[in-house]
Amino acid sequence: MNQTKRKTIIAGNWKMNKTASEAAELIDGILPAVQDACCEVVICTPFTSLVTAVEKCKGTNVHVGAENVHFEKSGAFTGEISADMLVDLGVEYVITGHSERRQYFAETNETVNKRTRAALAAGLKVIVCVGESLAEREQGVTEELVRLQTKIALKDVTAEEMQRIVIAYEPVWAIGTGRTATSEQAQEVCAAIRKVVGELYGSDVAEATTIQYGGSMNAANAQELLSKPDVDGGLIGGASLKPDDFGAIVAAARQ
Ligand code: PGA
């Protein structure tokens, strides 16, 4: 990471975990564990815990995000949540394009782009996830694939809106598997993402864009991953549900 050029962001992705009452308890554990952070700290919770999270994090250094958003403003989309609904709750961030959404909920590069643009239009900050499967890595197409995912996700996003974009490189084979990318692999792909952002928006925007690594990042490996120049933070799944571990990852961003 390069804290002089861009913001370091450690974000938790709770996935489908914790009821609202359990969320309140978890946040009570997280707040003291991250209060001395010198990076931005975000927790992305299920929709049902957002009200609790926003309330509890008010006046603290923890920012709140959602895990998904629909691209239409309103209407007959049973079960969906719009960007305006999130903003009205006081939510600041949203994740788009997580591989679990691509894999289990038919998310495509095009819908990731639509969700990203809708979120930006409503004023949200967006953590856009990209990453290759194990088969794609073994086929040697990681860089091409991640370039393509990044380009399509950012289609029609303006240079000004890029100030509210974070890109998370999450190799699918490393998510929830305990198998972390090496810091060299993370660096290589994060640098490739920065390069494509530079091609699209110029080097100033590329240098200012936060690019996270995600996939089994934990208290033990965070420091090494974050020591790489193009790894500007982490998107943390499992370890974000444990205050001590999440706190240790946030502390690792203090180098
Ligand atoms: P993990 O999940 O840290 O549990 O691997 C990361 C993510 O999916 O964002």
Side-chain angles (χ1 to χ4, degrees):
M1 62 195 171
N2 187 331
Q3 303 217 38
T4 56
K5 289 192 177 161
R6 48 195 170 257
K7 208 184 259 186
T8 301
I9 305 176
I10 302 292
N13 172 15
W14 289 13
K15 310 195 180 188
M16 196 174 75
N17 291 295
K18 305 295 172 188
T19 62
S21 357
E22 289 166 347
E25 211 174 300
L26 177 54
I27 293 166
D28 284 340
I30 288 174
L31 292 177
V34 304
Q35 67 184 353
D36 299 325
C38 44
C39 64
E40 179 132 319
V41 180
V42 184
I43 53 169
C44 298
T45 81
F47 292 129
T48 48
S49 293
L50 288 171
V51 170
T52 306
V54 167
E55 195 54 43
K56 285 218 160 255
C57 295
K58 221 171 259 170
T60 75
N61 63 332
V62 176
H63 303 254
V64 176
E67 300 174 15
N68 188 27
V69 62
H70 193 61
F71 40 81
E72 295 293 344
K73 269 192 93 60
S74 63
F77 302 100
T78 303
E80 292 297 327
I81 301 288
S82 75
D84 287 343
M85 293 173 183
L86 297 176
V87 170
D88 184 63
L89 289 187
V91 171
E92 197 180 328
Y93 279 86
V94 67
I95 298 172
T96 60
H98 192 279
S99 65
E100 286 150 17
R101 301 236 32 110
R102 294 179 191 255
Q103 197 176 341
Y104 307 132
F105 302 100
E107 195 80 60
T108 64
N109 287 325
E110 286 72 23
T111 57
V112 173
N113 173 247
K114 286 168 82 169
R115 288 176 207 273
T116 300
R117 278 170 33 219
L120 288 169
L124 291 163
K125 296 173 183 164
V126 187
I127 302 174
V128 183
C129 303
V130 297
E132 82 288 2
S133 66
L134 185 57
E136 289 156 346
R137 175 160 283 269
E138 286 169 349
Q139 286 154 0
V141 298
T142 298
E143 191 168 326
E144 283 99 320
L145 187 100
V146 167
R147 281 180 62 88
L148 183 91
Q149 290 175 328
T150 306
K151 273 186 148 169
I152 300 176
L154 298 179
K155 187 169 175 294
D156 295 329
V157 170
T158 66
E160 214 233 313
E161 287 172 326
M162 282 302 290
Q163 293 172 21
R164 287 185 285 122
I165 288 279
V166 175
I167 301 173
Y169 165 54
E170 297 209 308
V172 179
W173 47 271
I175 295 177
T177 58
R179 198 178 151 190
T180 319
T182 63
S183 55
E184 288 76 21
Q185 287 170 325
Q187 164 60 25
E188 193 179 21
V189 184
C190 289
I193 294 169
R194 196 173 313 283
K195 185 158 174 277
V196 73
V197 172
E199 288 164 17
L200 295 170
Y201 298 99
S203 61
D204 286 356
V205 171
E207 286 302 317
T209 301
T210 297
I211 302 177
Q212 301 172 313
Y213 166 79
S216 299
M217 195 190 259
N218 58 39
N221 60 28
Q223 190 154 358
E224 166 66 20
L225 287 159
L226 294 170
S227 72
K228 295 295 174 186
D230 288 292
V231 179
D232 306 318
L235 184 56
I236 324 294
S240 74
L241 299 169
K242 298 175 198 141
D244 290 350
D245 291 19
F246 192 56
I249 296 170
V250 166
R254 188 177 291 135
Q255 317 146 26

